[in-house]
Amino acid sequence: MSGISTPGEAVARIAYLSSDVVISVQPAQGLHTEFSEHLRRYVDSNTLGLVARHVPEVQTIRYNADPLLSVFQPIRSGKLVSVTTGSTILLPSTPHLYKLAQYPVVIHVALQPSGFPDYSEITSIRQSGFSFLHSESLQEAQDIALSAHALAIKSGKGVIHFFDPQSSAEDDPIGREDKRVVKHILDLDAVRAFQALEIGGSTLYADEGRVPAIVESSLPALNRNEGSLLPPTRPTDNPVSKETSTRTSSVGSSRRESSADSRPTISSASSVETTTIRNLTSEDIYRIISGIWSELESATGRHYQSFEYSGPLDAHHALFIFGSDSDRFEHEIHEASATDGFANTGIITARLYRPWLGAELSTTIPKSVRRIAVLEQVRRKTTRWGPMLLDLLTALRTGPANNSSPMIVGHQLGYIERATIRQALRGIFQNLKSASPIQNLAIGNSDGPKQSLQAYHLEQPKVEGAYMKILDQVFGDRLHVANQLSINNAGISATKASSPEFGFGSLLARIDHRKRFVGDVKAAMTSHDFTTNTPQRWLSKWALSAEDSLKANELASEVIARLATDGSRLATQLLKSRALFFKESHWLIGSDAWAYDLGSSGVHHVIASGENVNMLIIDSQPYSERAVADASRRKKDIGLYAMNFGNAYVASVAVYSSYTQVLQAMIEADQFEGPSVVLAYLPYHKETDSPLNVLQETKKAVDLGYWPLYRWNPIKEINGEPNFSLDSERIKHELEEFLRRDNQLSQLMKRHPVFSANISESFGSEVRTLQKRRAKDAYNTLLEGLYGAPMTVLFASDNGNAESLAKRLGNRGRARGLKTTVMAMDDYPIEDLSLEENLVLITSTAGQGEFPQNGRAFWDTVKDSADLDLAAVKYSVFALGDSHYWPRKEDKIYYNKPGKDLDARINSLGAKKLVDAGMGDDQDPDSYQTGYSEWEPKLWKALGVDQVEGLPEEPAPITNEDIKIQSNYLRGTIAEGLADESTGAISASDQQLTKFHGTYMQDDRDLRDERKAQGLEPAYAFMIRCRLNGGVATADQWLQMDSISSSYGNETMKLTTRQTFQFHGVIKGKLRPAMRGINKALMTTIAACGDVNRNVMCSSLPEKSQYHRDVHAISAKISDHLLPSTTAYHEIWLKDDDDKKIKVAGDAVVDHEPLYGPTYLPRKFKITIAIPPHNDTDVYAHDIGLIAIQGSDGRLEGFNVLAGGGMGVTHNNKKTYPRTGSMLGYVSAEKTHLACEKIMLVQRDHGDRKNRKHARLKYTMDDMGVDVFRSKVEERLGEKFEEARPFEFQSNIDSFGWQKDEKGFHHFTFFIENGRIEDTADFPMKAGLREIAKVHKGEFRLTGNQHLVLSGVSDEDLPMIKELMSKYKLDNVQFSGLRLSSSACVAFPTCGLAMAESERYLPELITKLEGVIEENGLRQESIVMRMTGCPNGCARPWLAEVGFVGKAYGAYNMYLGGGYHGQRLNKLYRSSIKEEEILAIMKPLLKRYAIEREDGERFGDFVIRIGMIKPTTAGKAFHDDVAEEESADEA
């Protein structure tokens, strides 16, 4: 067993073993203390404690978040609480200490600063009522920590154990605590007695009159200590006995009355014994701790007492040391020779510092001692005499022997180097032995070593830098942050200088200084001391606008220039304060710690002052960790508080929700004349959290109303405008209902504050429970009239298969006469489970053997329930999974794991099986249907309904083909669905049809669980995809797209891998306005999705503008030629609401689709054009790939035609595969659109319409054969394809930076990582591109790699464009070749098909690889890396040199060996690997590539040459010869 080497670890172990709850106070979430790292390790390993009934709870609280507030709720609930902290929090927590002293709380304090701690942190709170214990060595830290917990339990009072972590730095390691000894010392019977109490209490600052009490009996005490402790009592209940000791106590207890009391009454049934109840005294504390130390000595042999004396028993002099160096002094005295003045000296230390027992001290000091030097390591002096000196004087100069008491001489103990201890002792004893000793003589360096002046380095968390960067962007040189950490304030500590009080005071002085300066300027205006009259005119202009920041700052430079030119003495005098000509934007920056006590934090003073000061208060508490269950920790609503004043501007913002709103709020706050409060949300668990984590937490908080976005400007009311603006995008009916209900409950909360947290916390769960109950009752009502046995079918389904099976089983059960209920597991009221008769559970498998989302809560409850009795229930389980999904043998346990776990758990709860669990396997010939067809008949037989005759014929399931036929040319019921305001969704069939209109319904998967817990429907929104021929847009169109994204979407735009705009987060109510806005920009969305020909792509080719125009014209011709003819799009999206001329629904409108017919195509159809030598559109990856052939005149001549490319795959289904296009031949430019039409028509007539996974053109071509397919196309075309013309591709990535075309125009290719156009605090990209679009006269070209080309910049406009690019950081393309060559799909949170992150994760992965790239000289090397969240392949990962395809959250299949030019598919290298494995593979592989590659060898070719992977020669061979064979045996 390993030893313990630090006092922090020793104390942390004892605290963990001896507590139900440990409050770990840390300077920052990511900055560990002496204790926190050990505590976290114990929790992570599920280490059990001795006191807690389960794993102890460890709460991490930041030091400035009023951490002792977190103690009240658990201690009042009968939980033993300990706190591990540095001494910094003690003084600010003084009000809490006086209350907590009356509870058995233990606070372990590591004194700070490290190396030379300040003991005044302890002496300043010595009268708080706590007992204080002091340890000095490593072994003492362990023993005294245990003693502290035992003392708290047995006395009922708080104990503070303090120590200097560095004082034992050189101690040898000690063994771990003996748990048998710990149990014995703690007295677990007393622990359980306390845990059985419900103490109660609701106030924080008012004293409730709690007084720890003790009962004394005339009978022999059964306790190991004399007397028996009671829970703290109140004087109104049990008066203090007259027999109470008269000894003065320094414990300190308040005696205010309280009406609440949870203390059990004392039985007086026996007339034999008599009891006396009295308050706890200092004598009791001494008696209890002495008993504890006696038991500890018996168990360990180690002896402790209240005061320790070491040295000769006949010593004449002694040192009383209250500091860190007692062991060093003791060593020097022990080594002293007889001639040393300090030889034969005793040393006294206090082990029990409070209560201070003078009588015990007197008996400890030998009678021979005549003089005592008191050494106090107290740096903060509040009185002339040190507190320890006064304690000794009181103890030794009172009583009958005071005439013979020793002389006491105080010394201030500073920092002393080990080498100077002897010198310090000489100085002490020279003073001590003198005839007239000097009191308070300073020994050592009072300032201590430089590195110890502060307990820790204060710095702003990196994640919080986002708001500071925005302030810098908005205000630039005008910005002045008064309490910024980097400002050096002489003589003021960083902690104090960063406080709002200090910052506010400095701002008032700064404002006053400028007011005086303005007065000086006005006086100078009338002076005749200038050389000329020019300064006076400019000063006059400036003075009129001195308080208008815009005008004053515009004039300031001119005024300064005129004064400098004037050169007079008065001008020189004014120029000494030239900075004051500029009007600053004054800010105070703070955290949510300011919200716990608005008075003590200074927030109240700023708001009440009415001064023009802006406060930015950053709240970092994650939504998932909100402490609503603890009413005592609820922060004050600063926004509401400020609005009640009526004189302040207030805004609530979140940079990861709405960057635009943050900018608007900051600008408005600056313009407001008076105090402004901007509450800024930036949630993080640790200061090192990734932006992705912050984003996810922000979205939850904003969407669910925990952090509403708003702005409140009282000035607007004067102008007749609304003063309150609610900026949260998603305030739905359910939230409004919640707010209404919350308003009704607020009165109840005010009357009964103790219930406040419970009421607010339980609302969401109450709604959910009510929904479940109503659904179940509705089913019961429907079933009342039916006969037959009941059967309840519960399902958990992610992709719909398990749900479909469950519903089909329910229908079949009803047909057989059973009373059948079917619902999702999470919708079922779990309390009814034991009442079921026949229970069927159907579940699919999600992620890494996890339950689908709509079954997780059900499983968690069933798994953890200790009182579910299912003895009367009969059940069966059917599970759906894929036995090959996790290929490695160690991962086979994940196959159908939810179903297997559910079967085992239901059986263990007493239920009896109807039939054995069925296993559906996607690898079977009919997928999961194979296993299901075997399982279902057994179920009917077990239920006795297998022989039922006359069963009705089941209708065939509705397919996509049925939906298209019945849609009346894509109309369906879309219009009716848009008009339905009761939901944010549309029907399932309409969801299929809206794809043809260019929009998908999605929901925010970051919010699913939280919204479900709140009883809300998913956060439905729509993705809109534009149809943009060849990816070319005008500047006006760019501005319109920018406006649409801000007005109707989530303020971002996505540039897709198919060269078009995509908008996310468009709620249903804004869908039609967004569509109209796109149409207004002369663009459309029709056929951007769906089973039609989609957006036609075209190479960007910035260096050849005329050639590009030729090719682009063909792409537009193809796109227009293959456009669907239905008028439904115009009717649904573009007609005015009052337009009655055309009826949308019904059969009144009869359309005709000459190309597509009523069923359109079997699946989506994609066409792209590449212009050699650039394959930047991945020409091989599409249904039709056109390779442009240039004529001898430099103009377009024709195209080589590829057909049959496609990317979509289903994991572990080898019948699906990616495919590169096959060459059909050459066609002239003027016939290209006809060739594309005929290829599409062959696919229309021969594609598979029964199996959508086999419906793409690639499968049609492989089924027919390339030659047969070509002949059918040629037959329709009326001529044969010519032989393909020669061509060469050199890359498939973009060329970044400036290029010049043959006509002299300039083109710049921006790097847009993964195509996301957005504004962030670091990079205001969207704003910059908007400003460029306002002045740009050329085009914007979107590339197939998700980047952007600013095209057609003239020489005349070039300087202006470059200036704007520089201003907004858009000119930076100095990224690694790996990053520049990367691409990712959207995936989470909006894509419903995503299995893993993609766009939000790939940049992080590349960052982690860039270190090894730099080290090995590969920074400039282009390596094509792509990532998708699912195998549908939107980012075309199968053609990448390195591809990652999501398999489960955090897990990816890794593919290697794709062709750099996009001409060769890659192949599976590893399956289902996580980041650690990815990095373990890639880092050494990149290093090897740097060393072993041949000249010009690309990475994809390299991995094939060295034998890591075999080349994929055709789509059908994609699954052959993979590097990691998928094992066929099951777990």
Side-chain angles (χ1 to χ4, degrees), residues 1347-1404:
H1347 304 300
L1348 179 66
V1349 181
L1350 184 70
S1351 183
V1353 180
S1354 66
D1355 289 339
E1356 180 184 3
D1357 294 335
L1358 187 61
M1360 174 183 61
I1361 295 295
K1362 284 187 174 182
E1363 183 180 348
L1364 283 171
M1365 288 170 57
S1366 176
K1367 177 180 178 181
Y1368 290 97
K1369 307 178 185 177
L1370 287 164
D1371 53 354
N1372 182 18
V1373 292
Q1374 299 305 309
F1375 301 96
S1376 68
L1378 179 62
R1379 192 176 295 275
L1380 291 172
S1381 307
S1382 65
S1383 183
C1385 69
V1386 175
F1388 280 90
T1390 53
C1391 179
L1393 300 175
M1395 302 173 181
E1397 293 282 0
S1398 182
E1399 177 189 330
R1400 300 192 298 190
Y1401 172 60
L1402 182 58
E1404 293 184 21

Side-chain angles (χ1 to χ4, degrees), residues 310 695 748 1275 1442 1519:
S310 62
L695 170 66
L748 176 61
E1275 181 181 336
V1442 185
H1519 299 290

Side-chain angles (χ1 to χ4, degrees), residues 793-797 801-803 805-807 809 825 840-844 876-880 902 932 935:
V793 183
L794 303 180
F795 63 84
S797 179
N801 289 336
E803 181 176 0
L805 279 186
K807 290 179 177 177
L809 183 69
M825 291 181 186
V840 178
L841 302 141
I842 300 178
T843 178
S844 57
S876 186
V877 172
F878 185 78
L880 294 82
L902 194 56
Y932 183 80
W935 172 81

Side-chain angles (χ1 to χ4, degrees), residues 217-219 266-275:
S217 171
S218 60
L219 297 177
I266 304 299
S267 173
S268 56
S270 172
S271 60
V272 177
E273 67 172 285
T274 60
T275 60

Side-chain angles (χ1 to χ4, degrees), residues 419-648:
T420 62
I421 291 284
R422 178 175 291 268
Q423 179 182 346
L425 281 170
R426 291 195 186 104
I428 292 169
F429 276 84
Q430 182 179 353
N431 182 54
L432 182 64
K433 294 180 178 181
S434 68
S436 300
I438 300 172
Q439 291 287 358
N440 288 331
L441 181 67
I443 304 296
N445 180 2
S446 60
D447 292 330
K450 290 183 179 180
Q451 65 271 23
S452 299
L453 290 180
Q454 196 169 306
Y456 41 81
H457 178 60
L458 280 174
E459 59 181 23
Q460 185 182 48
K462 290 182 179 178
V463 292
E464 291 186 6
Y467 289 106
M468 285 301 303
K469 289 174 182 176
I470 295 175
L471 285 174
D472 284 332
Q473 289 171 13
V474 174
F475 303 115
D477 294 337
R478 287 184 54 222
L479 177 66
H480 176 74
V481 179
N483 61 336
Q484 195 164 354
L485 289 174
S486 58
I487 296 177
N488 183 22
N489 295 283
I492 305 296
S493 70
T495 303
K496 180 60 66 178
S498 64
S499 68
E501 303 99 316
F502 179 86
F504 182 48
S506 68
L507 280 182
L508 289 181
R510 200 173 185 91
I511 292 170
D512 186 60
H513 186 195
R514 190 169 188 272
K515 285 180 180 178
R516 292 197 305 270
F517 178 74
V518 172
D520 293 341
V521 169
K522 289 180 178 178
M525 288 161 45
T526 61
S527 171
H528 299 289
D529 294 337
F530 293 112
T531 304
T532 68
N533 294 330
T534 303
Q536 291 173 310
R537 291 198 304 271
W538 282 97
L539 289 174
S540 179
K541 289 180 182 180
W542 181 86
L544 289 173
S545 306
E547 298 306 318
D548 185 323
S549 57
L550 293 177
K551 293 181 179 178
N553 294 339
E554 284 179 5
L555 293 168
S557 298
E558 287 289 343
V559 172
I560 292 171
R562 295 302 188 279
L563 290 174
T565 303
D566 185 82
S568 64
R569 188 177 65 175
L570 180 56
T572 304
Q573 186 67 30
L574 290 174
L575 286 173
K576 289 180 179 178
S577 302
R578 68 181 63 204
L580 296 177
F581 281 109
F582 296 91
K583 188 172 189 301
E584 296 174 327
S585 183
H586 296 141
W587 288 84
L588 293 173
I589 312 294
S591 72
D592 50 347
W594 291 8
Y596 290 106
D597 189 331
L598 302 183
S600 65
S601 70
V603 171
H604 165 83
H605 305 296
V606 175
I607 298 171
S609 72
E611 293 288 347
N612 189 11
V613 173
N614 307 307
M615 283 190 290
L616 176 69
I617 301 176
I618 300 173
D619 192 313
S620 60
Q621 185 181 60
Y623 173 79
S624 59
E625 290 185 2
R626 62 203 186 281
V628 294
D630 181 358
S632 62
R633 277 208 60 82
R634 303 191 83 179
K635 293 177 286 192
K636 315 301 185 296
D637 189 333
I638 297 178
L640 183 60
Y641 184 81
M643 283 189 281
N644 283 335
F645 265 87
N647 69 333

